[in-house]
């Protein structure tokens, strides 16, 4: 299949995966239309792909940095050249509005160039020795085969942020995207990598859900698993990989605090809050999910945020301009509605929004929320801003830390020094002062603490260590005699 075949306006797919597992549908969340049906990979078929990547890895690892960097730069150009294809699929398959898709694509182009530069980074260090004639070297070697299991919400970005540095460091990759975003987060990547000249076997693609994903985790040929998804699945992956000391890179759930102090600029805070809570329908792990606001300014903040929410248009991002599209599936929309309803039954009050229409949920602001309500204790993954008030800064910190998750947070205050001090007390891997929680700069280490993952280990220079093993090599000019 030529990759351009999947860009036809009627989206009548004639696409064969070459696998024989269960059939899953490619569904447009805005309309419920089935765009096509795809065969998943069985466990046996997934293992064959992994073995194929294992055989290709030694030759890829010994290719020059110029070869690897050149292919990644050509891939960046292929992304640029196929922007409309990518934006169309991101809208129809994932419910992404155009500005979100444009940002995601540009971030991937930039990450492609950044990863290309990793290929020519220093490959190790020299260390002194107690023996003057001994040369001690610490060198980085590829892990081997890296399994990448990626989600549906930012399918291109969250696949490539692991695929690109893994390839740059001489690994081969087996990519298992979420079946809900199989084309955006999988097929397009594979096809454009072929155009860029990536050799056969260096990137394998596995369609399907749990069965091929489990094969990627359990196959002894994969030396590392890079997973983005739920804490429950991430914990299971970590437990299995620990048995064989397989490397993991886990970016998991978030229930992120958005703290507004008494001296904050309410206009700015409300703007950041609307972006952090409602962008991509709130379906972001870094969503501003818990709004912790000083009681003296809570009414003004609620009014400002509700006004912004009321100005946002919800619709089909493929056919109209809108700020929010549909949630990824009906089950997720029902979950968000259930969280709202349960919290309202406990005393929360809907300021605006609050009702799902199919997979569309209007931006919702809730007040009179208490810390025991499910809308506050659980990750929402929907466009909802629940507001809890506090009296003292210590109380705000305690509320922010009252979760098992620790991905992102933000603090709004006129005193940036105070904000910086409080940031050090927040149990999260990323804290932003006078900004929103959904920040992602590709060159900065990214990740969470506690049940949100294994810390900031993806992005920029940390990728050199993340996607390699460390080896000590010592060299003597000639053999020496020991006492015995």
């Amino acid at each position: 299949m030529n990759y351009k075949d999947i860009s036809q306006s009627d989206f009548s797919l004639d696409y064969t995966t070459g696998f024989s597992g269960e059939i899953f549908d490619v569904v447009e969340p805005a309309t419920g239309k089935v765009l096509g049906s795809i065969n998943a990979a069985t466990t046996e078929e997934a293992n064959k792909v992994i073995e194929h990547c294992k055989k290709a890895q030694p030759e890829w690892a010994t290719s020059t940095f110029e070869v690897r960097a050149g292919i990644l730069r050509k891939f960046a150009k292929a992304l640029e050249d196929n922007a409309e294809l990518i934006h169309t699929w991101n809208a129809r398959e994932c419910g992404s509005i155009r500005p979100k898709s444009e940002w995601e694509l540009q971030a991937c182009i930039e990450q492609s160039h950044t990863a290309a530069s990793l290929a020519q980074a220093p490959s190790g260090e020299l260390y002194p020795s107690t023996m003057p004639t001994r040369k001690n070297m610490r060198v980085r070697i590829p892990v081997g085969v890296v399994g990448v299991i990626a989600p549906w919400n930012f399918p291109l970005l969250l696949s490539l942020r692991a695929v690109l540095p893994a390839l740059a460091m001489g690994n081969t990759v087996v990519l298992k995207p979420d079946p809900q975003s199989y084309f955006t987060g999988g097929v397009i990547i594979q096809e454009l990598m072929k155009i860029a000249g990536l050799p056969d076997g260096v990137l394998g693609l596995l369609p399907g859900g749990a069965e091929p994903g489990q094969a990627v985790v359990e196959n002894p040929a994969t030396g590392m698993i890079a997973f983005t998804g739920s804490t429950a699945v991430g914990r299971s992956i970590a437990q299995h990989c620990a048995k064989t000391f397989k490397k993991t890179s886990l970016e998991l759930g978030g229930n992120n605090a958005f703290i507004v102090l008494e001296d904050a600029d309410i206009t700015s805070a409300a703007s950041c809050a609307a972006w952090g809570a409602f962008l991509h329908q709130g379906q972001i792990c870094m969503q501003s999910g818990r709004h912790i606001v000083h009681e003296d300014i809570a009414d003004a903040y609620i009014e400002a945020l509700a006004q912004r929410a009321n100005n946002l248009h919800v619709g089909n991002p493929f056919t109209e301009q809108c700020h929010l599209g549909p949630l990824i599936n009906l089950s997720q929309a029902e979950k968000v509605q259930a969280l709202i309803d349960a919290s309202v039954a406990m005393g929360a009050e809907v300021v605006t929004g609050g009702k799902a229409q199919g997979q569309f949920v209007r931006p919702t602001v809730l007040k009179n929320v208490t810390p025991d309500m499910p809308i506050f204790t659980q990750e929402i993954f929907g466009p909802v801003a629940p507001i809890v008030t506090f009296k003292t800064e210590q109380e705000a910190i305690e509320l922010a830390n009252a979760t098992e998750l620790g991905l992102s947070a933000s603090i709004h205050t006129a005193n940036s020094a105070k904000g910086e001090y409080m940031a050090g007390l927040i149990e999260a891997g990323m804290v932003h002062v006078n900004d929103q929680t959904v920040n992602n700069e590709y060159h900065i280490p990214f990740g969470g603490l506690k049940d949100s993952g294994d810390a900031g280990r993806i992005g920029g220079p940390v990728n050199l260590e993340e996607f390699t093993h460390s080896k000590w090599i010592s060299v003597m000019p000639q053999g020496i005699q020991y006492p015995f």
Side-chain angles (χ1 to χ4, degrees):
M1 183 202 75
N2 185 295
Y3 80 97
K4 290 187 181 296
D5 293 344
I6 64 174
S7 66
Q8 300 303 311
S9 59
D10 62 0
F11 275 69
S12 55
L13 299 180
D14 182 18
Y15 179 84
T16 303
T17 63
F19 299 106
S20 62
E22 64 177 347
I23 296 175
F24 65 90
D25 293 331
V26 179
V27 179
E28 183 176 38
T31 64
K33 178 181 178 181
V34 176
L35 303 175
S37 298
I38 305 297
N39 280 94
T42 64
T43 299
E44 181 180 359
E45 290 167 340
N47 287 332
K48 287 181 180 178
V49 171
I50 295 168
E51 289 301 318
H52 186 50
C53 289
K54 181 181 178 181
K55 290 179 181 178
Q57 193 273 327
E59 184 175 353
W60 175 247
T62 55
S63 63
T64 67
F65 74 83
E66 294 171 307
V67 169
R68 281 177 273 132
I71 289 172
L72 295 181
R73 292 190 184 105
K74 289 177 183 176
F75 176 72
K77 182 63 165 57
L79 288 173
E80 289 186 77
D81 292 344
N82 291 273
E84 288 305 314
L85 167 74
I86 292 167
H87 295 324
T88 298
W89 271 96
N90 214 338
R92 296 206 70 177
E93 190 178 34
C94 309
S96 299
I97 63 172
R98 180 65 176 245
K100 178 264 187 187
S101 182
E102 289 176 342
W103 178 89
E104 184 176 3
L105 174 59
Q106 186 57 40
C108 292
I109 293 169
E110 292 170 348
Q111 286 192 81
S112 299
H113 290 294
T114 301
S117 69
L118 293 177
Q120 61 193 58
S123 58
E125 301 90 22
L126 284 174
Y127 288 83
S129 174
T130 56
M131 189 168 293
T133 57
R134 177 186 289 148
K135 179 192 292 185
N136 283 324
M137 296 172 285
R138 200 276 291 197
V139 299
R140 300 185 188 94
I141 61 171
V143 171
V145 181
V146 175
V148 177
I149 303 175
W152 49 263
N153 54 340
F154 279 74
L156 198 68
L157 176 68
L158 299 183
S159 292
L160 288 175
R161 72 173 180 183
V163 170
L164 292 167
L167 293 177
M169 301 313 295
N171 304 286
T172 53
V173 175
V174 178
L175 172 61
K176 209 294 291 180
D178 190 287
Q180 295 172 110
S181 55
Y182 177 63
F183 280 88
T184 312
V187 173
I188 289 174
I189 293 173
Q190 185 182 56
E191 295 297 327
L192 297 187
M193 280 291 185
K194 289 178 182 177
I195 290 173
L198 193 71
D200 179 58
V202 176
L203 175 65
L205 178 63
L206 294 177
E211 184 177 354
Q214 186 172 357
V216 171
V217 172
E218 295 184 354
N219 192 305
T222 54
M224 174 181 176
I225 303 298
F227 171 77
T228 304
S230 73
T231 295
V233 175
R235 181 176 288 111
S236 176
I237 289 172
Q239 290 170 345
H240 182 85
C241 291
K243 297 175 184 177
T244 56
F245 304 105
K246 186 177 295 189
K247 289 191 75 171
T248 58
S249 178
L250 306 173
E251 199 261 283
L252 310 176
N255 191 6
N256 310 295
F258 187 94
I259 300 173
V260 186
L261 300 185
E262 184 180 11
D263 62 353
D265 181 330
I266 293 176
T267 300
S268 173
S271 175
C272 291
W275 182 264
F278 306 140
L279 177 65
H280 196 40
Q281 301 78 262
Q283 299 173 122
I284 306 174
C285 57
M286 298 175 291
Q287 178 204 20
S288 302
R290 296 181 298 142
H291 298 241
I292 302 169
V293 183
H294 193 280
E295 61 183 11
D296 288 352
I297 61 166
D299 289 344
Y301 175 82
I302 290 167
E303 181 181 358
L305 182 55
Q307 182 177 357
R308 290 179 180 274
N310 289 331
N311 289 334
L312 299 178
H313 174 63
V314 179
N316 182 341
F318 181 63
T319 60
E320 59 184 311
Q321 286 190 338
C322 54
H323 302 97
L324 279 75
L327 271 66
I328 190 65
N329 55 49
L330 186 59
S331 175
Q332 182 60 29
E334 291 172 345
K335 175 192 171 185
V336 172
Q337 186 68 64
L339 289 173
I340 294 171
D341 293 344
S343 299
V344 168
M346 294 173 68
E349 182 179 338
V350 176
V351 180
T352 188
K355 289 296 181 183
Q357 293 183 328
Q359 289 174 222
F360 295 90
V361 179
R362 277 210 54 78
T364 298
V365 177
L366 297 178
K367 67 178 182 179
N368 298 332
V369 175
T370 56
D372 60 335
M373 292 180 180
I375 201 69
F376 194 79
T377 61
Q378 297 184 35
E379 184 178 25
I380 303 168
F381 239 63
V384 184
I387 298 167
V388 166
T389 61
F390 67 90
K391 295 179 184 292
T392 67
E393 292 167 9
Q394 181 60 37
E395 184 184 359
I397 293 169
E398 290 174 357
L399 284 168
N401 291 338
T403 174
E404 295 178 349
L405 300 172
L407 186 57
S408 183
S410 68
I411 302 167
H412 286 259
T413 174
N415 186 338
S416 60
K418 179 193 293 184
E420 186 174 350
Y421 170 75
M422 290 180 65
L425 302 176
I426 302 298
E427 297 168 353
M430 301 171 285
V431 184
H432 310 291
V433 178
N434 291 325
D435 205 343
Q436 39 81 31
T437 57
V438 188
N439 274 344
N440 188 330
E441 296 194 51
Y442 58 91
H443 60 292
I444 301 174
F446 179 102
L449 305 177
K450 298 163 61 173
D451 283 0
S452 289
D454 44 16
R457 288 172 29 191
I458 286 186
V462 296
N463 284 331
L464 292 170
E465 307 296 337
E466 186 71 343
F467 294 96
T468 59
H469 287 310
S470 181
K471 177 183 284 190
W472 176 21
I473 298 176
S474 71
V475 179
M476 295 285 286
Q478 61 184 38
I480 60 174
Q481 295 293 320
Y482 284 93
F484 60 90

